Amino acid sequence: MAFESLSERLSTIFQGLSGKGKLSEDDVNLALKEVRMALLEADVNFKLVKDFVAKVKEKAIGEEVFSSLSPAQTVIKIVKDELTAMMGEENTELKLRPQSEITVLMMVGLQGAGKTTTAAKLAGKFQKMHRKPLLVACDIYRPAAIEQLRVNAEKLSIPFFSLGNQVKPEEIAKRAYEEAKEKGYNLLILDTAGRLQIDDALMQELKRMKAAVPVDWTILTVDAMTGQEAVNVSQSFSEDIGVDGVILTKCDGDTRGGAALSIKAMTGQPILFLGMGEKLADLEPFYPDRMAGRILG
Ligand code: GDP
Protein backbone atom coordinates (compact mmCIF):
# COMPACT_ATOMS: atom_id res chain seq x y z
CA MET A 1 0.00 0.00 0.00
CA ALA A 2 1.07 3.56 -0.60
CA PHE A 3 2.22 5.70 2.35
CA GLU A 4 3.05 2.55 4.28
CA SER A 5 6.07 3.84 6.13
CA LEU A 6 4.32 7.07 7.20
CA SER A 7 1.34 5.04 8.33
CA GLU A 8 3.55 2.65 10.30
CA ARG A 9 5.45 5.48 11.95
CA LEU A 10 2.30 7.27 13.05
CA SER A 11 0.57 4.18 14.38
CA THR A 12 3.65 3.31 16.43
CA ILE A 13 3.67 6.81 17.92
CA PHE A 14 -0.02 6.65 18.79
CA GLN A 15 0.20 3.14 20.18
CA GLY A 16 2.83 4.51 22.53
CA LEU A 17 0.41 7.23 23.62
CA SER A 18 -2.55 4.88 24.02
CA GLY A 19 -0.54 2.64 26.34
CA LYS A 20 -0.13 5.51 28.78
CA GLY A 21 -3.70 6.11 29.87
CA LYS A 22 -3.39 9.61 31.28
CA LEU A 23 -1.30 12.05 29.29
CA SER A 24 0.80 14.96 30.39
CA GLU A 25 1.63 17.94 28.23
CA ASP A 26 5.13 16.52 27.89
CA ASP A 27 3.74 13.23 26.52
CA VAL A 28 1.83 15.13 23.86
CA ASN A 29 4.80 17.31 23.01
CA LEU A 30 7.02 14.29 22.64
CA ALA A 31 4.51 12.50 20.43
CA LEU A 32 4.10 15.59 18.26
CA LYS A 33 7.83 15.86 17.88
CA GLU A 34 7.82 12.38 16.45
CA VAL A 35 4.81 13.16 14.24
CA ARG A 36 6.79 16.13 12.93
CA MET A 37 9.74 13.88 12.09
CA ALA A 38 7.50 11.32 10.41
CA LEU A 39 5.87 13.97 8.21
CA LEU A 40 9.21 15.48 7.25
CA GLU A 41 10.53 12.03 6.37
CA ALA A 42 7.42 11.53 4.23
CA ASP A 43 8.57 14.63 2.33
CA VAL A 44 5.78 16.93 3.42
CA ASN A 45 6.66 20.59 2.96
CA PHE A 46 8.58 21.97 5.95
CA LYS A 47 6.35 24.97 6.55
CA LEU A 48 3.20 22.88 6.35
CA VAL A 49 4.58 20.49 8.94
CA LYS A 50 5.35 23.37 11.25
CA ASP A 51 1.86 24.84 10.93
CA PHE A 52 0.31 21.39 11.27
CA VAL A 53 2.07 20.60 14.55
CA ALA A 54 1.26 24.04 15.94
CA LYS A 55 -2.43 23.60 15.13
CA VAL A 56 -2.63 20.13 16.62
CA LYS A 57 -0.92 21.34 19.78
CA GLU A 58 -3.26 24.30 20.12
CA LYS A 59 -6.34 22.13 19.64
CA ALA A 60 -5.05 19.44 22.00
CA ILE A 61 -4.64 21.99 24.76
CA GLY A 62 -7.97 23.64 23.92
CA GLU A 63 -9.81 20.34 24.07
CA GLU A 64 -8.20 19.44 27.37
CA VAL A 65 -6.98 16.04 26.30
CA PHE A 66 -5.18 15.71 29.58
CA SER A 67 -8.39 15.36 31.53
CA SER A 68 -10.38 13.51 28.87
CA LEU A 69 -11.29 9.84 29.31
CA SER A 70 -9.35 8.62 26.32
CA PRO A 71 -6.64 11.20 25.78
CA ALA A 72 -4.75 9.28 23.10
CA GLN A 73 -7.93 8.84 21.04
CA THR A 74 -8.59 12.55 21.30
CA VAL A 75 -5.10 13.37 20.03
CA ILE A 76 -5.48 10.88 17.17
CA LYS A 77 -8.80 12.45 16.21
CA ILE A 78 -7.28 15.92 16.18
CA VAL A 79 -4.38 14.69 14.03
CA LYS A 80 -6.80 13.00 11.63
CA ASP A 81 -8.93 16.13 11.31
CA GLU A 82 -5.90 18.29 10.65
CA LEU A 83 -4.49 15.85 8.06
CA THR A 84 -7.86 15.91 6.32
CA ALA A 85 -7.98 19.71 6.41
CA MET A 86 -4.49 19.86 4.92
CA MET A 87 -5.62 17.75 1.97
CA GLY A 88 -8.72 19.85 1.33
CA GLU A 89 -11.56 18.40 3.45
CA GLU A 90 -13.83 17.09 0.68
CA ASN A 91 -13.49 15.20 -2.54
CA THR A 92 -13.48 17.55 -5.52
CA GLU A 93 -15.56 15.95 -8.21
CA LEU A 94 -14.54 16.27 -11.84
CA LYS A 95 -17.87 17.70 -12.94
CA LEU A 96 -18.73 17.57 -16.62
CA ARG A 97 -21.11 19.74 -18.61
CA PRO A 98 -24.57 18.33 -19.40
CA GLN A 99 -24.58 15.47 -21.94
CA SER A 100 -25.82 17.85 -24.65
CA GLU A 101 -22.63 19.95 -24.43
CA ILE A 102 -18.98 19.16 -25.09
CA THR A 103 -16.72 19.09 -22.03
CA VAL A 104 -13.03 19.61 -22.79
CA LEU A 105 -10.33 18.15 -20.55
CA MET A 106 -6.74 19.12 -21.24
CA MET A 107 -4.12 16.83 -19.74
CA VAL A 108 -0.84 18.54 -18.88
CA GLY A 109 2.33 17.54 -17.07
CA LEU A 110 5.96 16.64 -17.42
CA GLN A 111 7.06 13.78 -19.63
CA GLY A 112 6.70 10.45 -17.92
CA ALA A 113 4.29 11.73 -15.26
CA GLY A 114 1.50 9.60 -16.69
CA LYS A 115 -0.51 12.01 -18.88
CA THR A 116 -1.21 9.64 -21.74
CA THR A 117 -2.12 6.73 -19.50
CA THR A 118 -4.33 8.92 -17.31
CA ALA A 119 -6.07 10.45 -20.34
CA ALA A 120 -7.13 6.93 -21.35
CA LYS A 121 -8.09 6.04 -17.77
CA LEU A 122 -10.39 9.07 -17.58
CA ALA A 123 -11.91 8.28 -20.98
CA GLY A 124 -12.64 4.73 -19.82
CA LYS A 125 -14.13 5.90 -16.55
CA PHE A 126 -16.49 8.38 -18.20
CA GLN A 127 -17.43 6.01 -20.99
CA LYS A 128 -18.72 3.68 -18.28
CA MET A 129 -20.84 6.60 -17.09
CA HIS A 130 -22.37 6.80 -20.59
CA ARG A 131 -20.35 9.75 -21.84
CA LYS A 132 -19.02 9.79 -25.38
CA PRO A 133 -15.30 10.50 -25.15
CA LEU A 134 -12.89 11.30 -27.95
CA LEU A 135 -9.20 10.85 -27.16
CA VAL A 136 -7.10 13.42 -28.97
CA ALA A 137 -3.36 13.07 -29.60
CA CYS A 138 -1.78 16.53 -29.33
CA ASP A 139 1.72 15.42 -28.36
CA ILE A 140 3.36 15.79 -31.74
CA TYR A 141 6.95 15.60 -30.52
CA ARG A 142 7.09 12.09 -29.17
CA PRO A 143 5.89 9.74 -31.95
CA ALA A 144 5.41 6.95 -29.42
CA ALA A 145 2.89 9.10 -27.52
CA ILE A 146 0.44 9.11 -30.43
CA GLU A 147 0.77 5.37 -30.82
CA GLN A 148 0.43 4.79 -27.07
CA LEU A 149 -2.79 6.79 -26.94
CA ARG A 150 -4.14 5.00 -30.02
CA VAL A 151 -3.42 1.57 -28.51
CA ASN A 152 -5.07 2.52 -25.22
CA ALA A 153 -8.09 3.99 -27.01
CA GLU A 154 -8.42 0.75 -28.95
CA LYS A 155 -8.25 -1.34 -25.78
CA LEU A 156 -11.20 0.61 -24.42
CA SER A 157 -13.01 0.84 -27.78
CA ILE A 158 -12.92 4.61 -27.51
CA PRO A 159 -12.70 6.81 -30.62
CA PHE A 160 -9.29 8.30 -31.23
CA PHE A 161 -8.30 11.47 -33.09
CA SER A 162 -4.88 12.29 -34.52
CA LEU A 163 -3.57 14.44 -37.35
CA GLY A 164 -0.08 12.99 -37.13
CA ASN A 165 2.85 15.10 -36.06
CA GLN A 166 2.94 17.78 -38.74
CA VAL A 167 -0.04 19.82 -37.58
CA LYS A 168 0.20 22.25 -34.65
CA PRO A 169 -1.36 21.04 -31.40
CA GLU A 170 -3.76 23.97 -31.17
CA GLU A 171 -4.98 23.20 -34.70
CA ILE A 172 -5.42 19.52 -33.79
CA ALA A 173 -7.45 20.55 -30.74
CA LYS A 174 -9.66 22.82 -32.86
CA ARG A 175 -10.26 20.18 -35.51
CA ALA A 176 -11.01 17.57 -32.85
CA TYR A 177 -13.57 19.92 -31.32
CA GLU A 178 -15.24 20.25 -34.75
CA GLU A 179 -15.17 16.48 -35.12
CA ALA A 180 -16.82 16.10 -31.71
CA LYS A 181 -19.57 18.53 -32.72
CA GLU A 182 -20.18 16.72 -35.99
CA LYS A 183 -20.14 13.20 -34.62
CA GLY A 184 -21.79 13.80 -31.27
CA TYR A 185 -18.90 13.16 -28.90
CA ASN A 186 -19.36 15.08 -25.67
CA LEU A 187 -16.07 14.60 -23.88
CA LEU A 188 -12.90 15.78 -25.56
CA ILE A 189 -9.74 14.63 -23.81
CA LEU A 190 -6.61 16.32 -25.11
CA ASP A 191 -3.29 14.60 -24.48
CA THR A 192 -0.57 17.24 -24.69
CA ALA A 193 3.20 17.17 -24.92
CA GLY A 194 5.41 17.09 -21.86
CA ARG A 195 9.04 17.96 -21.37
CA LEU A 196 11.60 16.62 -19.00
CA GLN A 197 11.57 20.01 -17.33
CA ILE A 198 9.24 22.95 -17.39
CA ASP A 199 10.12 25.28 -20.24
CA ASP A 200 8.63 28.36 -21.74
CA ALA A 201 7.96 26.87 -25.19
CA LEU A 202 5.78 24.18 -23.60
CA MET A 203 3.82 26.70 -21.55
CA GLN A 204 3.25 28.92 -24.58
CA GLU A 205 1.98 25.95 -26.55
CA LEU A 206 -0.45 24.99 -23.79
CA LYS A 207 -1.68 28.58 -23.62
CA ARG A 208 -2.33 28.56 -27.38
CA MET A 209 -4.30 25.35 -27.00
CA LYS A 210 -6.39 26.87 -24.23
CA ALA A 211 -7.09 29.84 -26.49
CA ALA A 212 -8.09 27.57 -29.38
CA VAL A 213 -10.76 25.46 -27.64
CA PRO A 214 -12.96 26.06 -24.58
CA VAL A 215 -11.08 24.00 -22.02
CA ASP A 216 -13.23 23.22 -18.98
CA TRP A 217 -10.64 21.44 -16.91
CA THR A 218 -6.89 21.73 -17.19
CA ILE A 219 -5.76 18.61 -15.41
CA LEU A 220 -2.20 18.26 -14.23
CA THR A 221 -0.73 14.80 -13.76
CA VAL A 222 2.18 14.58 -11.38
CA ASP A 223 4.20 11.62 -10.24
CA ALA A 224 3.68 11.00 -6.51
CA MET A 225 7.09 9.36 -6.26
CA THR A 226 8.76 12.72 -6.86
CA GLY A 227 7.49 14.16 -3.56
CA GLN A 228 8.14 17.89 -3.15
CA GLU A 229 9.17 18.12 -6.80
CA ALA A 230 5.56 17.23 -7.66
CA VAL A 231 4.46 20.18 -5.52
CA ASN A 232 6.91 22.51 -7.29
CA VAL A 233 5.68 21.33 -10.68
CA SER A 234 2.09 21.94 -9.58
CA GLN A 235 2.97 25.46 -8.46
CA SER A 236 4.66 26.28 -11.78
CA PHE A 237 1.85 24.96 -13.95
CA SER A 238 -0.77 26.69 -11.80
CA GLU A 239 0.97 30.03 -12.04
CA ASP A 240 1.77 29.77 -15.74
CA ILE A 241 -1.29 28.31 -17.40
CA GLY A 242 -3.85 27.80 -14.64
CA VAL A 243 -4.74 24.33 -13.38
CA ASP A 244 -8.15 23.15 -12.21
CA GLY A 245 -7.21 19.85 -10.63
CA VAL A 246 -4.36 17.44 -10.09
CA ILE A 247 -4.12 13.71 -10.62
CA LEU A 248 -1.41 12.11 -8.57
CA THR A 249 -0.02 9.09 -10.40
CA LYS A 250 2.02 6.10 -9.27
CA CYS A 251 0.48 6.07 -5.80
CA ASP A 252 0.69 2.27 -5.98
CA GLY A 253 4.47 2.60 -5.79
CA ASP A 254 6.65 3.19 -2.80
CA THR A 255 5.65 6.83 -2.44
CA ARG A 256 6.20 8.49 0.90
CA GLY A 257 3.03 10.53 0.71
CA GLY A 258 4.47 14.05 0.80
CA ALA A 259 2.91 15.12 -2.48
CA ALA A 260 -0.59 13.92 -1.56
CA LEU A 261 -0.36 15.74 1.74
CA SER A 262 1.13 18.99 0.45
CA ILE A 263 -0.35 19.78 -2.97
CA LYS A 264 -3.69 21.26 -1.93
CA ALA A 265 -2.27 23.32 0.91
CA MET A 266 0.70 24.55 -1.12
CA THR A 267 -1.00 25.28 -4.44
CA GLY A 268 -4.72 25.53 -3.73
CA GLN A 269 -5.33 22.87 -6.40
CA PRO A 270 -7.48 19.92 -5.40
CA ILE A 271 -6.36 16.36 -6.05
CA LEU A 272 -9.08 14.75 -8.14
CA PHE A 273 -7.86 11.18 -8.51
CA LEU A 274 -5.01 8.89 -7.60
CA GLY A 275 -3.35 6.71 -10.23
CA MET A 276 -2.97 3.31 -8.62
CA GLY A 277 -1.29 1.28 -11.33
CA GLU A 278 -0.45 0.89 -15.00
CA LYS A 279 -3.73 -0.74 -15.92
CA LEU A 280 -6.47 1.46 -17.35
CA ALA A 281 -8.86 0.68 -14.51
CA ASP A 282 -6.37 1.80 -11.86
CA LEU A 283 -7.82 5.22 -11.05
CA GLU A 284 -9.38 6.09 -7.68
CA PRO A 285 -11.20 9.22 -6.59
CA PHE A 286 -9.32 11.11 -3.90
CA TYR A 287 -11.07 11.50 -0.55
CA PRO A 288 -9.02 13.51 1.95
CA ASP A 289 -10.74 12.00 4.99
CA ARG A 290 -10.29 8.44 3.77
CA MET A 291 -6.68 9.16 2.95
CA ALA A 292 -6.11 10.57 6.44
CA GLY A 293 -7.74 7.43 7.86
CA ARG A 294 -5.54 5.23 5.69
CA ILE A 295 -2.43 7.05 6.81
CA LEU A 296 -3.33 6.71 10.47
CA GLY A 297 -3.99 2.99 9.95
P1 GDP B 1 3.38 10.77 -20.12
O1 GDP B 1 4.75 10.92 -20.71
O2 GDP B 1 3.11 11.81 -19.07
O3 GDP B 1 2.31 10.68 -21.13
O4 GDP B 1 3.41 9.40 -19.27
P2 GDP B 1 2.85 7.95 -19.65
O5 GDP B 1 1.37 7.94 -19.60
O6 GDP B 1 3.52 7.47 -20.87
O7 GDP B 1 3.34 7.12 -18.37
C1 GDP B 1 4.72 6.91 -18.09
C2 GDP B 1 4.86 5.55 -17.41
O8 GDP B 1 4.21 5.58 -16.14
C3 GDP B 1 4.21 4.41 -18.19
O9 GDP B 1 5.05 3.29 -18.11
C4 GDP B 1 2.90 4.18 -17.44
O10 GDP B 1 2.46 2.85 -17.55
C5 GDP B 1 3.30 4.51 -16.03
N1 GDP B 1 2.18 4.94 -15.19
C6 GDP B 1 1.27 5.91 -15.42
N2 GDP B 1 0.41 6.01 -14.38
C7 GDP B 1 0.78 5.09 -13.46
C8 GDP B 1 0.30 4.72 -12.16
O11 GDP B 1 -0.68 5.25 -11.60
N3 GDP B 1 0.98 3.71 -11.52
C9 GDP B 1 2.06 3.09 -12.09
N4 GDP B 1 2.66 2.14 -11.40
N5 GDP B 1 2.54 3.44 -13.29
C10 GDP B 1 1.91 4.40 -13.97
Side-chain angles (χ1 to χ4, degrees):
M1 188 191 82
F3 316 129
E4 202 161 315
S5 63
L6 176 60
S7 177
E8 261 171 33
R9 282 284 306 265
L10 292 179
S11 39
T12 309
I13 297 166
F14 292 129
Q15 265 162 23
L17 272 192
S18 302
K20 280 190 175 257
K22 250 182 144 32
L23 294 185
S24 70
E25 195 165 334
D26 280 350
D27 292 330
V28 173
N29 282 338
L30 205 67
L32 285 181
K33 215 169 152 185
E34 289 181 50
V35 168
R36 180 174 167 276
M37 285 302 296
L39 291 175
L40 287 174
E41 273 169 28
D43 205 15
V44 178
N45 175 272
F46 177 78
K47 194 180 165 300
L48 275 186
V49 173
K50 216 174 136 198
D51 291 351
F52 177 85
V53 170
K55 268 190 211 150
V56 173
K57 200 180 274 186
E58 190 185 309
K59 273 199 174 174
I61 290 166
E63 291 187 17
E64 296 178 354
V65 291
F66 314 112
S67 57
S68 78
L69 280 177
S70 50
Q73 287 309 313
T74 311
V75 176
I76 294 169
K77 167 131 193 352
I78 295 170
V79 168
K80 181 169 184 253
D81 289 349
E82 286 305 316
L83 280 179
T84 307
M86 189 152 91
M87 290 184 280
E89 299 287 351
E90 298 199 337
N91 164 259
T92 302
E93 194 191 341
L94 178 49
K95 281 216 177 82
L96 306 185
R97 289 173 179 272
Q99 289 273 16
S100 57
E101 297 173 21
I102 301 171
T103 305
V104 182
L105 312 183
M106 183 165 102
M107 310 300 297
V108 303
L110 294 184
Q111 193 170 309
K115 263 183 315 307
T116 307
T117 310
T118 308
K121 285 180 179 180
L122 284 173
K125 175 187 157 55
F126 285 114
Q127 188 185 45
K128 278 200 190 123
M129 295 162 74
H130 310 294
R131 291 277 167 169
K132 297 194 189 84
L134 179 63
L135 276 164
V136 186
C138 298
D139 180 354
I140 59 170
Y141 308 102
R142 201 165 58 94
I146 301 180
E147 186 54 19
Q148 189 189 340
L149 192 66
R150 192 188 62 74
V151 168
N152 281 337
E154 212 161 76
K155 273 191 208 160
L156 295 162
S157 306
I158 286 174
F160 166 75
F161 187 92
S162 162
L163 294 174
N165 58 6
Q166 299 299 314
V167 179
K168 290 202 173 95
E170 56 268 34
E171 185 60 30
I172 300 174
K174 232 190 235 173
R175 301 258 291 270
Y177 194 81
E178 294 304 318
E179 172 101 350
K181 261 201 247 169
E182 266 170 38
K183 301 211 169 140
Y185 303 120
N186 59 12
L187 179 60
L188 210 59
I189 303 182
L190 309 175
D191 185 29
T192 67
R195 303 275 198 280
L196 290 175
Q197 282 170 344
I198 290 169
D199 70 37
D200 194 48
L202 170 66
M203 293 302 182
Q204 294 306 330
E205 176 176 306
L206 296 174
K207 280 182 196 164
R208 286 196 299 275
M209 290 182 70
K210 279 184 110 164
V213 287
V215 173
D216 294 290
W217 288 84
T218 301
I219 299 176
L220 175 70
T221 54
V222 285
D223 178 343
M225 307 282 282
T226 62
Q228 280 314 292
E229 189 47 30
V231 179
N232 296 337
V233 167
S234 305
Q235 269 170 332
S236 298
F237 273 89
S238 299
E239 282 163 19
D240 258 357
I241 59 162
V243 168
D244 302 297
V246 176
I247 296 184
L248 204 54
T249 63
K250 309 186 195 181
C251 293
D252 50 309
D254 188 21
T255 166
R256 287 177 290 165
L261 285 164
S262 315
I263 280 180
K264 169 73 189 192
M266 294 297 292
T267 71
Q269 304 309 329
I271 296 175
L272 303 169
F273 293 97
L274 302 178
M276 297 297 293
E278 294 193 83
K279 288 204 281 311
L280 296 177
D282 297 333
L283 190 70
E284 285 182 9
F286 180 72
Y287 295 100
D289 55 342
R290 284 188 210 168
M291 179 56 78
R294 214 195 262 188
I295 290 171
L296 291 179

